[in-house]
Amino acid sequence: MTPVLGMLLYLVAGAIWVVVGDWLLERWLQGSAYLNHWRTCKDWLFVLLTALLARWLLARMRRAEQLRWALSHELAQIVRHAPVGIARVEPHTLTVLWANDRLCHWLAAPLHGLVGQHFRELAIPVDGPLATHQLEDLLQGRIERYQGERTCRPRDGGKDLPVLCIVSLVPASAAAPAHLICVLQDLGEIGAARAALSQSQYVLRLALEGSGSGLWDWDLRTQQPTYSPSLLRLLGYHGNQHVGDNLLRTRLHPDDRERIEAAVGRAIAADVPFDERLRLQRLDGSWCWFQARGQRHLDALGQPERFSGILTDLSARRAAEERQRLAATVVENTIEGVIVTDAQMHILSVNAAFSRMLGYAEDELQGMTPRVFKSGRHDKAFYQAMWDSMARTGHWQGEIWNRRKNGEIFPERMSLSAVQDAQGAVTHYVCMFTDISEEKAQRERLEFLAHCDPLTELANRLWFSEQLQDVVLQAQRSGEQLAVMLLNLDRFKDVNGSYGHAVGDQVPQHIAQQVRSAMRPGDLIGRMAGDEIAIVARNLRHADGAAAVARNLIGVASRPWHSPDDVAVVVGVSVGICMFPEHADSAQGLLQGAHAAVYGAKARGRGAYCFYSEQMTLEARQRLELEARLRQALVLGHLSLHYQPQVEIATGRIIGAEALVRWLDPEEGMISPARFIPVAESSGVIGAVGNWVLREACRQGQRWRQAGLPELRIAVNVSPRQFHLNDVAGNTGQALAESGFAPRLLELELTESALAERPEEARQTLLRLHELGVTIAVDDFGTGYSSLAHLKRFPIDVLKIDQGFIRDVPQSGDDMAISAAIIAMGHSLGLEIVAEGVETAEQLAFLRERGCDLFQGYFCSRPLPADGFAELLQRNRQALGEA
């Protein structure tokens, strides 16, 4: 309440008291002698009441003054002794109006020296423009206060003091105009605290990184995790890569998730330590093992507040443990024996392989020395050299003989090493050894095999050639005459096919024994191949002597060999002879000559001998040359196909063609198939040639179809060697697929000999071809093994009568009877019959009379190239009146 208002209230109250009191007294005591008396009492009562009121007001004023003084004193003490600097500043001019003692002390100036000074010159802002902008916002009422870092610069030139300045605006009042209150806080102590905290954090970070660990902290209330940089680096994060809130959970291995979540739940609920091994996926996708240790933390109310701990990389530790485990496993499971002794050679441990090889259990050897294994085969010098090597290098390796528990002496390859401590003193010896008994026996066997044939125990090809080379050198010096004879076993394949290879191996053993028993002193013998034995007959006077030796060898080789069924089998040999120096003057030349002579002996019949001649070598060279040219012709495209028509006898219409390979050499011209096909058969080139013929015939047949010609059945010959060595069914399917030619229009021609050799294998191949839809024909029928019981097992569609039975028709009654029988037999089996080599009208008339289905031969046409055959086909259609 203001004094004026109080005075007015007092005057109003006094006037009301006088007027109202007098009116009431006049009304109540009218005419009474005590009226004045009561008026006097009323006046004194008013004076008393006002005196009491004055006394109460004075007491209140005194107490208020005392409170104000105490408050002022307390405020003065707070401002004087506050740990912060305080200044009152004029808001527009920024001059200092007042400053407390702390600020005066910082600025090294008395209060009167600061009053009137510009505040920004005393407390310089770190960012002046920002401070100006903040002051404008404060004066405009947009903010209540602002703060910023400043530097207090003492007036005496002392050290600058960094401070934090908080500025607020005090509005104008009746007592004082508007002014700024600036509170400055010393940042020196805060900086020191920050530095100490930073140093502590740095030390902690170094400790964590040095330990290979990272820190995590999980706020259980907000469910927000915090991860240290070292933990993120453990998981492969770098820089500012996005981490995500549930890093550890999302990267936890699925197999560990249930166990780890249960352990975390127990640690939070029951305050048990969390200590688990787990797998986490690094950022690069790899899985690593970690050790996680943590504990919950409670708030003031005893509720779980945080869950924190450290994560340690176990990769190196687990790798070391794995290496140690692996090393122990290797030692225990290695096939080498391992024994460990102390520095005094007392046995400490042995592995399982040691016990198996020497027969001792580990507990039997405790405290013993390796002298118990000494074999007695090595002298003192041997062991002295061993320990001298140990002293120089700390290692010894070599072969040694030792003794097993049962007394058996055996060889071993041993490696002895010394184990040293950090000071270089020997602490242990480790010995590793391998039983080489079998190795030595194998070495002896290999040495035998290097020189001898394991089946016959004769010298092998290499050793025999070396011996022959030495003999030839001696003969060149001494003028000795000798002969190299190559014995080739007759019917060896028949024996293998009849009794199998296991029994058939006894044949060369039998022949070797017989031949060795008939050899003269000084002669050499060796096995050159599976069915070839070589003999060197020395000290001969002339070729007749070599012939006599050959006849003798043929005689002893023809002695019967008895099979397991006690069947006497005579194999026999054919002998090729090459004389030194008449036929050849080198070991290689003698062997080549004898090999060539064997073919001459085979040509004369079984059990014969033949001397080498130059013509044999010439023919062999010609065959090799022709083979090389044939391979080149296949690559360069010098081969082509000619087609001989197959004509339906009843109508005269061409319904097929046999594809025949032709070779046009750029230099020699046309080379007869009779010349190069046998070479292709013997060399194996027939497989590549046959595949080319098959693919080319299918492509040509498809081209004719696409050209609008009537459908033709293309016949392709398959040689016996091609049939058995190549995948004919697979190659046929591939050729049909590549060309698009219809399988029903392809006919494969096989000879009877191809079917007779390995009949079951041949039957399976024909069944596969039949599944493809290919027609199967037997070519040159009647010249081989013509058995109905044999043929009916095969899926055959066509029989081709060999031209040898057609050539003399109608002059030869026998050929006519055979041809008629083949036609009748084929028809009875439901087969189509084709006659080859038809050259005359009489031959065709005979075949028509006997009901033959098709014919081919010069009577219709010679084999023609593809273009010529297409023209022939067009003429045939025109002659028959076909469109």
Side-chain angles (χ1 to χ4, degrees):
M1 182 181 297
T2 62
V4 175
L5 182 60
M7 182 182 68
L8 290 176
L9 288 176
Y10 177 76
L11 291 176
V12 171
I16 293 173
W17 179 272
V18 172
V19 174
V20 174
D22 288 345
W23 181 78
L24 289 176
L25 288 176
E26 286 287 341
R27 186 182 177 97
W28 292 342
L29 300 176
Q30 186 177 7
S32 174
Y34 296 100
L35 178 61
N36 292 330
H37 174 72
W38 283 105
R39 284 178 177 173
T40 303
C41 290
K42 173 181 72 68
D43 293 337
W44 281 106
L45 179 61
F46 179 77
V47 172
L48 178 63
L49 290 175
T50 55
L52 291 175
L53 178 61
R55 185 177 181 281
W56 178 78
L57 290 175
L58 289 173
R60 287 289 303 274
M61 290 177 61
R62 186 181 298 110
R63 285 197 299 273
E65 184 65 24
Q66 290 176 350
L67 182 60
R68 187 180 299 109
W69 181 88
L71 182 61
S72 175
H73 180 72
E74 183 178 359
L75 181 60
Q77 292 294 324
I78 291 174
V79 171
R80 180 178 182 182
H81 297 287
V84 297
I86 302 175
R88 290 175 56 230
V89 179
E90 206 284 324
H92 300 289
T93 62
L94 295 182
T95 57
V96 177
L97 302 175
W98 172 86
N100 70 343
D101 294 346
R102 176 71 65 175
L103 183 56
C104 293
H105 174 71
W106 287 349
L107 296 175
L111 178 59
H112 61 81
L114 299 179
V115 174
Q117 297 292 321
H118 198 284
F119 181 71
R120 286 194 178 179
E121 294 179 354
L122 302 176
I124 303 172
V126 175
D127 189 345
L130 177 62
T132 301
H133 179 71
Q134 290 174 330
L135 177 60
E136 292 178 359
D137 289 344
L138 180 65
L139 296 178
Q140 295 297 327
R142 289 191 289 268
I143 58 176
E144 295 182 357
R145 67 183 64 81
Y146 68 88
Q147 66 180 21
E149 292 188 10
R150 302 192 178 210
T151 301
C152 286
R153 184 161 294 172
R155 305 298 296 274
D156 61 357
K159 184 177 180 181
D160 292 347
L161 178 67
V163 296
L164 177 65
C165 180
I166 302 174
V167 181
S168 58
L169 177 63
V170 179
S173 64
H179 59 275
L180 301 176
I181 296 296
C182 301
V183 179
L184 294 87
Q185 184 178 0
D186 185 0
L187 292 181
E189 295 181 357
I190 296 177
R194 288 178 178 175
L197 178 60
S198 177
Q199 179 66 19
S200 176
Q201 291 176 339
Y202 176 71
V203 172
L204 178 60
R205 179 170 60 83
L206 290 181
L208 285 174
E209 293 179 351
S211 64
S213 301
L215 179 68
W216 91 84
D217 181 57
W218 182 17
D219 190 328
L220 298 178
R221 293 176 178 173
T222 63
Q223 297 297 315
Q224 291 297 317
T226 303
Y227 308 110
S228 69
S230 58
L231 184 143
L232 298 178
R233 283 194 295 273
L234 289 178
L235 295 179
Y237 287 89
H238 301 282
N240 297 322
Q241 290 177 286
H242 178 69
V243 175
D245 293 338
N246 298 314
L247 174 65
L248 298 183
R249 179 181 175 83
T250 56
R251 295 203 164 270
L252 186 61
H253 196 282
D255 295 343
D256 298 338
R257 189 179 305 280
E258 183 177 353
R259 172 175 58 85
I260 297 303
E261 289 180 349
V264 170
R266 289 193 301 270
I268 295 176
D271 195 23
V272 296
F274 175 75
D275 190 350
E276 296 289 337
R277 290 192 176 191
L278 49 89
R279 285 165 289 181
L280 295 174
Q281 188 177 32
R282 291 170 54 87
L283 192 61
D284 60 4
S286 61
W287 292 95
C288 296
W289 280 95
F290 293 88
Q291 180 81 34
R293 295 185 178 90
Q295 192 169 8
R296 74 171 187 181
H297 306 283
L298 304 179
D299 59 11
L301 300 178
Q303 297 299 317
E305 180 182 25
R306 315 191 75 81
F307 182 65
S308 60
I310 61 173
L311 190 72
T312 304
D313 188 354
L314 295 181
S315 301
R317 185 189 308 173
R318 286 185 64 87
E321 292 175 353
E322 180 64 18
R323 286 195 298 270
Q324 185 176 0
R325 185 196 64 79
L326 182 61
T329 303
V330 168
V331 170
E332 189 60 28
N333 293 280
T334 183
I335 61 173
E336 295 183 323
V338 179
I339 179 172
V340 180
T341 72
D342 59 17
Q344 289 73 39
M345 296 300 294
H346 294 108
I347 298 174
L348 300 177
S349 65
V350 298
N351 69 343
F354 177 94
S355 298
R356 287 195 303 270
M357 282 188 280
L358 272 77
Y360 290 95
E362 186 174 10
D363 53 1
E364 293 182 82
L365 299 173
Q366 293 292 333
M368 301 180 67
T369 66
R371 294 187 184 91
V372 69
F373 314 130
K374 290 182 66 174
S375 64
R377 288 199 175 189
H378 304 290
D379 55 15
K380 184 176 180 181
F382 175 85
Y383 292 106
Q384 184 63 44
M386 177 193 299
W387 288 109
D388 288 344
S389 175
M390 289 294 298
R392 291 192 312 272
T393 65
H395 183 74
W396 181 86
Q397 184 175 0
E399 291 187 7
I400 190 172
W401 289 80
N402 273 333
R403 186 185 302 273
R404 307 185 201 270
K405 184 179 180 181
N406 61 7
E408 178 187 354
I409 296 175
F410 70 100
E412 64 182 40
R413 183 179 293 108
M414 188 177 80
S415 175
L416 180 62
S417 301
V419 180
Q420 299 177 344
D421 59 15
Q423 289 73 36
V426 175
T427 60
H428 298 83
Y429 290 100
V430 177
C431 176
M432 301 179 64
F433 66 90
T434 303
D435 185 348
I436 58 174
S437 301
E438 183 61 28
E439 182 180 330
K440 279 187 170 293
Q442 181 68 14
R443 191 183 304 164
E444 294 175 357
R445 287 194 294 270
L446 290 176
E447 187 175 352
F448 171 79
L449 294 176
H451 296 88
C452 299
D453 171 60
L455 182 62
T456 61
E457 298 185 358
L458 301 178
N460 61 19
R461 184 183 188 91
L462 179 62
W463 181 232
F464 179 83
S465 299
E466 292 179 1
Q467 289 179 303
L468 177 59
Q469 182 68 37
D470 294 339
V471 170
V472 169
L473 292 176
Q474 295 174 15
Q476 289 174 344
R477 291 192 296 266
S478 63
E480 174 188 353
Q481 189 173 7
L482 55 87
V484 173
M485 303 181 185
L486 196 63
L487 284 62
N488 187 276
L489 278 60
D490 297 330
R491 294 189 296 273
F492 182 53
K493 292 183 180 179
D494 294 339
V495 176
N496 277 333
S498 301
Y499 297 99
H501 291 280
V503 175
D505 284 345
Q506 299 179 33
V507 173
Q509 290 178 332
H510 168 76
I511 298 296
Q513 293 173 359
Q514 299 303 317
V515 172
R516 180 180 286 175
S517 65
M519 288 176 58
R520 304 172 307 154
D523 290 349
L524 302 179
I525 183 172
R527 188 184 185 192
M528 306 302 289
D531 57 354
E532 290 183 345
I533 296 176
I535 299 292
V536 178
R538 304 186 61 179
N539 300 313
L540 298 175
R541 295 183 179 179
H542 42 69
D544 291 342
V549 173
R551 287 192 296 269
N552 184 41
L553 294 177
I554 292 172
V556 297
S558 63
R559 293 172 185 170
W561 167 75
H562 293 274
S563 71
D565 300 331
D566 200 27
V567 177
V569 178
V570 177
V571 177
V573 295
S574 298
V575 182
I577 306 172
C578 186
M579 300 295 296
F580 173 87
E582 180 181 351
H583 297 149
D585 58 358
S586 67
Q588 183 178 1
L590 289 169
L591 288 173
Q592 290 177 347
H595 191 272
V598 163
Y599 288 101
K602 289 281 187 182
R604 298 181 181 182
R606 304 182 188 278
Y609 65 88
C610 177
F611 282 92
Y612 167 77
S613 67
E614 187 64 30
Q615 183 64 27
M616 294 179 179
T617 301
L618 179 61
E619 292 175 355
R621 288 177 180 174
Q622 289 176 347
R623 286 194 299 270
L624 291 175
E625 180 184 355
L626 190 63
E627 176 191 342
R629 291 169 58 196
L630 178 58
R631 293 181 186 274
Q632 188 176 16
L634 188 62
V635 174
L636 298 178
H638 293 164
L639 299 183
S640 63
L641 290 184
H642 285 203
Y643 299 89
Q644 186 171 43
Q646 293 180 340
V647 184
E648 191 175 46
I649 295 178
T651 64
R653 184 166 57 92
I654 298 175
I655 65 170
E658 180 178 359
L660 301 171
V661 64
R662 294 293 183 263
W663 179 7
L664 181 60
D665 186 77
E667 299 178 359
E668 188 176 342
M670 190 66 72
I671 299 178
S672 171
R675 180 180 168 196
F676 70 81
I677 291 297
V679 172
E681 287 274 4
S682 62
S683 64
V685 184
I686 191 64
V689 173
N691 288 338
W692 178 85
V693 171
L694 182 61
R695 292 194 301 271
E696 181 61 26
C698 290
R699 285 195 292 265
Q700 184 59 57
Q702 184 64 11
R703 284 194 289 266
W704 282 335
R705 292 181 66 192
Q706 293 172 347
L709 295 179
E711 289 188 341
L712 293 172
R713 187 172 66 190
I714 307 298
V716 177
N717 289 286
V718 179
S719 77
R721 184 172 179 83
Q722 177 188 358
F723 183 73
H724 289 291
L725 297 183
N726 294 67
D727 182 10
V728 174
N731 293 336
T732 301
Q734 185 176 359
L736 291 170
E738 291 175 353
S739 63
F741 193 54
R744 60 185 174 79
L745 299 178
L746 177 64
E747 177 182 297
L748 296 185
E749 297 186 358
L750 304 167
T751 62
E752 290 179 272
S753 59
L755 301 180
E757 184 179 352
R758 292 181 283 184
E760 185 57 33
E761 179 182 328
R763 181 173 179 273
Q764 295 301 321
T765 301
L766 293 183
L767 289 175
R768 291 175 59 195
L769 290 170
H770 225 263
E771 290 175 358
L772 292 175
V774 175
T775 302
I776 306 299
V778 176
D779 194 14
D780 300 336
F781 186 77
T783 61
Y785 182 61
S786 306
S787 168
L788 288 178
H790 182 69
L791 290 177
K792 71 179 183 179
R793 299 177 60 243
F794 301 107
I796 298 171
D797 304 298
V798 179
L799 286 183
K800 299 189 72 173
I801 304 174
D802 184 68
Q803 61 180 348
F805 298 121
I806 303 299
R807 185 180 300 113
D808 295 331
V809 172
Q811 290 80 15
S812 173
D814 293 340
D815 288 343
M816 294 173 63
I818 293 174
S819 298
I822 293 175
I823 294 171
M825 179 185 66
H827 284 164
S828 67
L829 294 175
L831 305 179
E832 189 178 48
I833 308 300
V834 180
E836 296 180 303
V838 177
E839 299 181 355
T840 65
E842 291 81 1
Q843 294 171 348
L844 180 58
F846 167 77
L847 294 173
R848 182 181 292 110
E849 180 183 350
R850 294 298 185 270
C852 184
D853 301 301
L854 305 173
F855 82 92
Q856 66 182 74
Y858 289 177
F859 183 74
C860 176
S861 172
R862 290 177 176 273
L864 299 172
D867 295 341
F869 184 85
E871 295 176 359
L872 175 65
L873 187 61
Q874 291 286 8
R875 292 196 301 271
N876 179 257
R877 294 177 64 188
Q878 293 173 0
L880 296 176
E882 296 179 359

